[in-house]
Amino acid sequence: MQAYPHFSKRKVEILDGVWDFCFLGESVNLDTVDVRKAVYKEIMPVPGVFDVSPDYPGKRGTAVYRRKVMTDPESRVKLRLGGLGLWARIYWDGNAVGTDDLPYSGVEFEFQSGKGAEHELAILIDNRLDFKRTPLFSQYYDFYGFGGIYRSVELHQLPKCSIERVRVTTLDIKTGLVSIDIALSGKIPAKFAFNLAFDARKDEGFCESVKDGHVRIEVKVPKFKLWSPEKPNLHTVSISTMDDEITERFGVRQVTAAKGQIKVNGRPQKLLGYCRHESHMEFGPAQPLQLIFEDLQNLKDLGCNFVRGTHYPQDQRFLDLCDQLGIMVWEESMGWNNYPEHYADRNFFDAQVRQTQLLVRNSYNHPCVIIWGFLNEGNSETESCRKMYSTLFKTIRSEDSSRLVTYASNRAERDLFFEMCDVVSLNTYPGWYAKDKEKARPLDEIEPCLDNFIRHMDKRGLKDKPFIISEIGAGAIYGWHDRYRVHWSEEYQADFLGICANYAVKNPRVAGISLWHFADARTYTSSYALGRPRTINDKGTLDEFRRPKMAYDVVKKAFHGKKNK
Ligand code: ADA
């Protein structure tokens, strides 16, 4: 499955397959490394991560992937990478053409192909934990930092003037009026002549002035149908010239927040769902389509209409499928409990801004994405961190004013920045990381803790902002049962999630919930793992192989509006 956008006129080669592979070592100096000297005795799949493979399990170091590609001589080419980690440098015929320090981000590199038709493409990957090189990922994050090429790689041969992306923004849900923003690159004319066709219908000719490489027009989508979670109608728009054509898919829909509610096309939606990591014991983040699809089937079966894609930009195929299935998504850039010292670091600050901007640009046309987020559980209680938060809000809002913006806070009453949000989101673990360790029944902490926070919001004047419980959960080891219904047993987790899911369903002050989390996932392999049996974050309602735990049926009943006994 190739995610949107599609390009039907230019030469596009999907480079997925088997590449040559060489693991260079654990202490390679990246300033002096010469990829031309690599000796390729092995092969590896792309997409794929070497550190889940039986030959390199858990290995950290530097590796290089290589393959041959063909292009027309002296052509302008673009390499589109769906996402990789943790850090990469790209070489074309032995020369560096770009670096990527944004794990999971979709990135592009444009360059000249040079002489001849056959070329060597090499991607140097480094998955060592180094704050300087990869400021967005640190060892203490509670999810595994994989090494490899996570998603598809495409090579495009570009015409003289190429159509890069088209952004479609709904302006009026009554008439189907949308704005179309076409981004061009290469030899850009002062006036751009193109054809536009919705849903592969007859096209219409336009000739418009270009401003800063963009053409903007407003048009009505003929015979449009609104996108909603209940009826996920989609449209396509194709923009074409003599030598290039792009097709983007979009939905006509409007997202708003008012009086504590989140609305799609003016209709209140209660968001019921899960946080989900793109992680699997065998594939890491290089998810087969079948896995993504089955995860979504499970979520649908659970009664979910919402997924929070934690804690990084999501696979575009996942978002395409959510568009089709009517699952609303919160997508966020990467962060995990970052400190004021991180925000004070120029590299980190800059990488946050770049990844957040790319997040919005790459996923702009997905109607399923209704919320943008960033800095999961960052330090939002210290005044010196305000600049990082306000900059990210500004970054998103200057790219997109059609969605809601939030961040998942774990600072509760101490949080200083809720006022900046469209939606207030709280990660909280009463009854798990319990405050009162003397309590005989920690489950009793859950409802009062949530009630208290809602009272705090009201007192603070935040009553009109929708409230999402962005994380809440408890660990359970798959197959471990206990009549005491204690911590780590499937029984405890089922009781716990039952309380949370029912609370969210019944309480009108809760606009949404994303339970922590959908499926068990690999985490730390250091002593941070104490409290993470098997080095897995086992708060999944399904285990790491997607086997349902007891909580599955309990949540399913609650989300389907049925009362648990
Ligand atoms: C946090 C964090 C999650 C996970 C969770 C947990 O809320 O956002 O990524 O680490 O805690 O399992 O404790």
Side-chain angles (χ1 to χ4, degrees), residues 228-270:
S228 69
E230 299 78 24
K231 290 201 174 127
N233 296 305
L234 294 166
H235 293 281
T236 59
V237 62
S238 302
I239 304 290
S240 57
T241 58
M242 287 292 280
D243 42 22
D244 206 7
E245 176 168 46
I246 186 172
T247 300
E248 300 260 9
R249 197 169 65 178
F250 67 98
V252 180
R253 62 109 181 81
Q254 181 198 47
V255 181
T256 49
K259 299 220 156 66
Q261 292 182 318
I262 292 173
K263 296 180 179 175
V264 175
N265 305 330
R267 252 191 92 198
Q269 293 283 346
K270 171 86 89 174

Side-chain angles (χ1 to χ4, degrees), residues 142 311 336 376-377 427 429 433 471 516 532 537 539:
D142 184 10
H311 296 300
W336 201 88
N376 171 66
E377 296 192 346
N427 291 359
Y429 286 84
Y433 304 123
E471 279 184 37
W516 185 262
R532 297 281 179 275
N537 187 316
K539 298 185 190 74

Side-chain angles (χ1 to χ4, degrees), residues 3 12 19 44 47 67 95 104 162 387 490 510-511 527 534 545:
V12 176
W19 291 35
M44 276 285 169
R67 63 162 285 162
N95 301 311
Y104 290 91
S162 53
K387 187 158 175 240
E490 286 199 29
V510 178
S527 54
R534 306 181 303 138
F545 296 109

